[in-house]
Amino acid sequence: MSLDQEKPKVSVKKKRVALALQGGGAHGAFTWGVLDKLLEDGRIEIEGVTGTSAGGMNAVCLAQGLSRGDNMTARNELRNFWSTMSDAGKDSALNKRGPIDKALGKFTMYNSPGFIVFDYLSRMFSPYELNPTQVDPLKDVINKTFDFENLRTQNACKVYLCATHVYTGKLRVFTTKELTTQTLLATACLPSIHNAVMVDGEYYWDGGFIGNPVFFPLIYDCDTPEIILIQLNPTVRNTLPKTSREIADRLNEITNNSSVVREMRAIQFISDLIDSGQLDSKKHKRLHMHVIEDEEAFQELGWSSKLNTEWEFLTHLFEKGRNAGELWLKNNFDKVGVESTAPMRDHFVGDAWHKNK
C-alpha cells in the first residue's frame, strides 16, 4: 500500500455563499482570478450569483462550468471566456496600449492613438452614427462561449443579471430562465460604445448605472445569509483628483459604487435593528456580508484600462485576483457563517452614520 493510500481522507464541510460581482470591463479579469482561487480551494459552495457587465459575464461562465461538471470545469470556462475576449481585441487599436504607456510599464491607454481617436469621436458622435451596421465583437464572443439553452435549465447556480431600462431609468434583473445573448449584452451595454440592446421590446443599457451589482435577488431568492461582494472600483482614495482625467476617473468610480454603498447602508441598518432586538430575527434574514478586493491594484488604473484586452493585462489582474482570494480565505474563511467580515462602516456606511450614532 502506498503512502497516499494510507493517508485518511479528510472531509471538509463546505460553506454555502452567494456572490455579487461588480462590473468594470477588462477589470473583470480580477474577478476571474478571485473565482479561480475560490473554486480551486473547494471549500466554498456557490448557491447564486448576481453580476453586472463583466460581472455578468463571469457569473454566466461560472454557472455554465458548474452545470457542465465541477469546479475545474468552471475554472476552464472562465479562462476560455477571457482568452476569447483577448483574442477578439487583438486586431483592434482601441483595445491596445500605445508605445508610451508600454514603455512606462502602465496598463492605461491614455496615450494609445486608437483610444485617443475613439475618446474624441465618442464625445462628438453616438454609436448609432459611428457604427451604423452594429458590428459588435462582444456579441461574437458571447455566441462562441455560451450555451444558453442549457444555461436556462441548469440548477447548479442561480444567476441574476442587472441592466438599466433606458426609458424609465429603473433596474431590471434578468434571472436564470431569461439568459440569452441579448440579456447578457444588455448588462454590458455602455451607451457611448454600443447601441441600446432590445429585450422583449424594451431597450436597456449597462446595469452599472443603477445596480453594480444588486444584492436583493440574493437576499430574497437564495437561502444562504452569506454574501460575498467582489469589488473592482476603489471605494477610498487618499489624494485629491485635480486634472480633468483624474476627476473623470474618480467620478466613474463613485458612480459605479453608488448602488453598492446604498444597499450596504440599508443592510447594516437592518442588521443593527435585528441585533438590538428591534426586529424579530425569526422574521428577518440576518446577513453576513463579505468583500474581496484589492484597492491598491486599481489605484493607478483609470477608465481607459477597462478597454484594455491585452492578455498581459488580463493575466496581471487575474493573478491579483487570485492573491486577493487566497488572502481572504486565509483571514476570513473561518468567520463565514459566524459574522460579517466586510468593512461596513469604514467603506460603506460613511461619516453621516458615525455622527448619528
Side-chain angles (χ1 to χ4, degrees):
M1 182 178 291
S2 69
L3 290 176
D4 290 337
Q5 290 175 315
E6 291 175 357
K7 291 179 182 179
K9 292 184 179 180
V10 179
S11 178
V12 178
K13 185 177 180 181
K14 293 186 177 182
K15 295 189 176 183
R16 204 175 201 198
V17 305
L19 302 177
L21 312 181
Q22 266 199 337
H27 291 188
F30 175 87
T31 300
W32 163 34
V34 174
L35 294 175
D36 189 76
K37 185 60 189 180
L38 295 182
L39 292 166
E40 179 187 69
D41 182 81
R43 292 178 292 168
I44 293 291
E45 180 183 353
I46 302 165
E47 180 182 1
V49 56
T50 177
T52 296
S53 192
M57 305 293 167
N58 282 319
V60 178
C61 283
L62 179 66
Q64 179 159 284
L66 293 176
S67 69
R68 286 179 169 178
D70 53 14
N71 284 14
M72 191 64 217
T73 309
R75 293 174 68 192
N76 289 336
E77 289 286 346
L78 285 158
R79 175 170 286 274
N80 176 63
F81 171 79
W82 285 101
S83 176
T84 305
M85 278 293 297
S86 181
D87 288 342
K90 281 184 177 179
D91 297 327
S92 171
L94 173 60
N95 303 106
K96 297 178 182 178
R97 291 173 292 166
I100 296 177
D101 285 324
K102 285 186 177 180
L104 294 174
K106 294 183 177 182
F107 289 111
T108 54
M109 300 199 298
Y110 291 122
N111 296 301
S112 163
F115 177 80
I116 292 171
V117 171
F118 161 76
D119 189 43
Y120 173 77
L121 290 176
S122 66
R123 296 173 191 272
M124 301 293 293
F125 304 100
S126 78
Y128 298 89
E129 298 166 311
L130 289 175
N131 185 18
T133 59
Q134 299 188 43
V135 175
D136 190 351
L138 178 59
K139 185 176 183 178
D140 295 334
V141 172
I142 290 172
N143 287 331
K144 286 179 183 177
T145 305
F146 300 116
D147 177 0
F148 289 104
E149 185 174 349
N150 172 68
L151 280 162
R152 288 192 294 271
T153 58
Q154 61 85 26
N155 56 13
C157 179
K158 299 173 183 176
V159 179
Y160 312 91
L161 302 181
C162 308
T164 304
H165 191 278
V166 177
Y167 293 163
T168 66
K170 293 181 179 179
L171 175 71
R172 171 68 189 273
V173 177
F174 298 107
T175 63
T176 307
K177 294 180 180 180
E178 298 173 293
L179 294 178
T180 63
T181 298
Q182 290 302 102
T183 55
L184 199 48
L185 284 171
T187 189
C189 178
L190 288 176
S192 61
I193 299 177
H194 304 286
N195 293 358
V197 177
M198 179 179 284
V199 180
D200 297 331
E202 302 291 338
Y203 288 105
Y204 294 94
W205 282 340
D206 192 296
F209 298 114
I210 195 166
N212 192 24
V214 292
F215 298 117
F216 68 82
L218 306 178
I219 298 172
Y220 297 136
D221 203 32
C222 291
D223 294 327
T224 179
E226 308 295 321
I227 298 178
I228 302 175
L229 166 67
I230 301 180
Q231 189 169 11
L232 304 180
N233 295 291
T235 306
V236 178
R237 284 190 178 269
N238 298 317
T239 57
L240 179 66
K242 293 183 177 180
T243 68
S244 60
R245 183 178 297 159
E246 290 171 345
I247 292 170
D249 283 345
R250 185 56 182 151
L251 283 173
N252 180 266
E253 291 170 352
I254 292 171
T255 301
N256 279 277
N257 276 334
S258 61
S259 64
V260 168
V261 171
R262 287 195 301 271
E263 283 203 84
M264 283 291 206
R265 293 186 70 164
I267 289 168
Q268 185 62 50
F269 178 67
I270 297 299
S271 297
D272 287 344
L273 291 178
I274 293 173
D275 292 344
S276 66
Q278 297 179 67
L279 286 179
D280 189 345
S281 61
K282 294 181 180 180
K283 295 181 180 180
H284 301 276
K285 191 174 183 180
R286 177 59 166 90
L287 299 173
H288 294 144
M289 303 300 297
H290 312 277
V291 176
I292 301 178
E293 61 183 348
D294 182 353
E295 297 221 332
E296 185 176 346
F298 294 98
Q299 291 294 323
E300 299 301 319
L301 299 178
W303 183 84
S304 70
S305 64
K306 292 183 178 183
L307 300 179
N308 184 351
T309 59
E310 294 174 320
W311 188 241
E312 180 185 356
F313 179 50
L314 299 181
T315 52
H316 164 77
L317 288 179
F318 168 78
E319 291 300 334
K320 291 289 186 180
R322 277 186 57 86
N323 292 339
E326 182 176 18
L327 183 62
W328 183 86
L329 285 166
K330 178 182 178 181
N331 294 335
N332 298 298
F333 179 78
D334 291 340
K335 299 175 185 176
V336 175
V338 179
E339 61 180 318
S340 292
T341 62
M344 300 294 285
R345 301 195 191 281
D346 290 341
H347 277 199
F348 303 108
V349 174
D351 293 335
W353 177 272
H354 293 297
K355 291 177 182 178
N356 291 334
K357 293 294 282 186

